[in-house]
Amino acid sequence: MLRSAAMKPTLKARGTLRDVAHLVGVSHTTVSNAFSRPDQLSPELREKILAAARSVNYPGPNPAARMLMSGFANTIALVYADPLYHAFEDPATSAFVGGVAEACDQRGLGLLLLQGGGASLRTIQSAAVDGLIIYSMSKEGETIRTIADRGLPMVVVDQPLIPNVPFVGIDDRAAARACAQHLKDLGHQNFAIVTFQLGSDGHCGLIDRKRLKSISFEIPRRRIEGYLEVLDASGPGLSVIVWECSRSNEESGRTAAEGIFKITPRPTAILATSDRLAIGVIEAARCNQLRVPQDLAVIGFDDIPAANLITPRLTTVHQPMAEKGRLAVASLLKEKGALRMKVPTKLIVRQSTDPAILGQAQETEINQRNSCIIQRK
């Protein structure tokens, strides 16, 4: 029977491994195996030992002592830049965390989720872990330096690129180029780019090329550069505006769209750096009696489940978020030999950009520029 919090025994009242061994009449090693190596005992003996442990309030071997003896915590940390609850609100990030958790479970490893920056730095400094996965973080601030100073194995996912540190991600520029080329091929001339935050200053609204040169977050920079690589090469007859959002969610997408719709000439195609932003744009278009895609084509990024559920279904870039999580764990444990790993992406064309798509979406593998894999030295 489970004890309530009020009945939890004090440290003084707890039994010891020696007490359990004496009670059952077995060695200390046998008691330890009942907790840490159950396959070494018969089910009957193990249950007898566990019952004796419960009777004397012995919780099992101390994890801290075990770590001191072995030198390993059998736990890795995933360090996330934003407040941790954002990781569970965002479907793409949630899928990535799920992939990391699955890979840890398969290897019998624990997983510690940590928030980067601020008051969390002390926790990062002292966390009992064997390695760290850095997920989508800016080079600015003290988090990266704090992690590096620990001298533990680490892997970066998505951003930032750090010399000689293993990296798992996608070719964001190539994926963005495919998006822009798709809309350009449909004949659009007036474009808007809706992006999540470019820096940590909370800016929201139209931005100029000067701000684009000072982007501190690498993912939006790569995607915007990919879009503009196609659109800027199209000549003077084409217009492009960029709207920055402070968050990557539907509300931010709606706010951006409302501002963009007031601009003359109104853009007829919007490239969003996430699906959640794109879905917000579609919702705002509906409220303004704009038909998607006849009056406004919208393309997202990530291919979250909602992209295939919204009406019209969203054209987007599919990236395998869970697979990125699994690869990050494999890279951290040096099961993969590549220093830089880029996972493949697909352009998924649905009705939000092309009214001719009536049934199943069209999928196109995106060719990655500089897709060679750099091996570990």
Side-chain angles (χ1 to χ4, degrees), residues 119-141:
S120 301
L121 291 179
R122 180 170 294 181
T123 304
I124 294 173
Q125 288 174 326
S126 60
V129 295
D130 300 317
L132 303 101
I133 297 173
I134 301 168
Y135 179 67
S136 197
M137 194 168 292
S138 169
K139 282 185 178 179
E140 297 179 349

Side-chain angles (χ1 to χ4, degrees), residues 150-170:
R150 292 206 56 179
L152 294 173
M154 63 179 182
V155 172
V156 171
V157 177
D158 286 345
Q159 61 180 351
L161 280 171
I162 304 174
N164 300 317
V165 173
F167 172 87
V168 177
I170 65 171

Side-chain angles (χ1 to χ4, degrees), residues 3 12 16 42 66 80 120 132 134 139 149 158-159 172 220 238 240 260 271 275 287 351 358 361 367:
R3 294 176 178 268
K12 187 175 181 180
T16 65
S42 69
R66 184 186 301 160
Y80 182 63
S120 301
L132 303 101
I134 301 168
K139 282 185 178 179
D149 286 347
D158 286 345
Q159 61 180 351
D172 288 283
L238 186 146
V240 184
I260 290 169
L271 297 134
D275 285 346
C287 291
Q351 293 97 333
L358 300 177
N367 292 325

Side-chain angles (χ1 to χ4, degrees), residues 78 80 87-88 92-102 111 113 135 321-322 325:
L78 171 58
Y80 182 63
F88 301 98
T93 302
S94 180
F96 168 75
V97 174
V100 173
E102 177 189 352
L111 175 61
L113 299 181
Y135 179 67
M321 297 300 298

Side-chain angles (χ1 to χ4, degrees), residues 31-53:
V31 174
S32 179
N33 285 342
F35 289 91
S36 58
R37 302 177 67 190
D39 58 305
Q40 301 295 307
L41 308 180
S42 69
E44 294 79 14
L45 179 56
R46 181 171 187 262
E47 182 51 42
K48 185 177 180 180
I49 292 172
L50 295 180

Side-chain angles (χ1 to χ4, degrees), residues 162-231:
I162 304 174
N164 300 317
V165 173
F167 172 87
V168 177
I170 65 171
D171 191 334
D172 288 283
R173 290 186 185 85
R177 287 196 299 270
C179 294
Q181 190 63 53
H182 169 64
L183 292 177
K184 181 183 171 185
D185 291 344
L186 289 171
H188 292 279
Q189 293 291 310
N190 299 315
F191 294 83
I193 297 170
V194 175
T195 179
F196 42 75
Q197 60 270 34
L198 306 180
S200 55
D201 58 359
H203 178 80
C204 183
L206 285 173
I207 62 172
D208 56 21
R209 297 296 175 105
K210 182 179 179 181
R211 182 168 175 83
L212 289 178
K213 294 180 180 179
S214 61
I215 298 175
S216 58
F217 288 106
E218 293 181 13
I219 289 180
R221 175 175 57 78
R222 296 175 202 145
R223 293 180 188 177
I224 292 172
E225 286 175 352
Y227 297 142
L228 295 179
E229 188 174 326
V230 172
L231 301 180

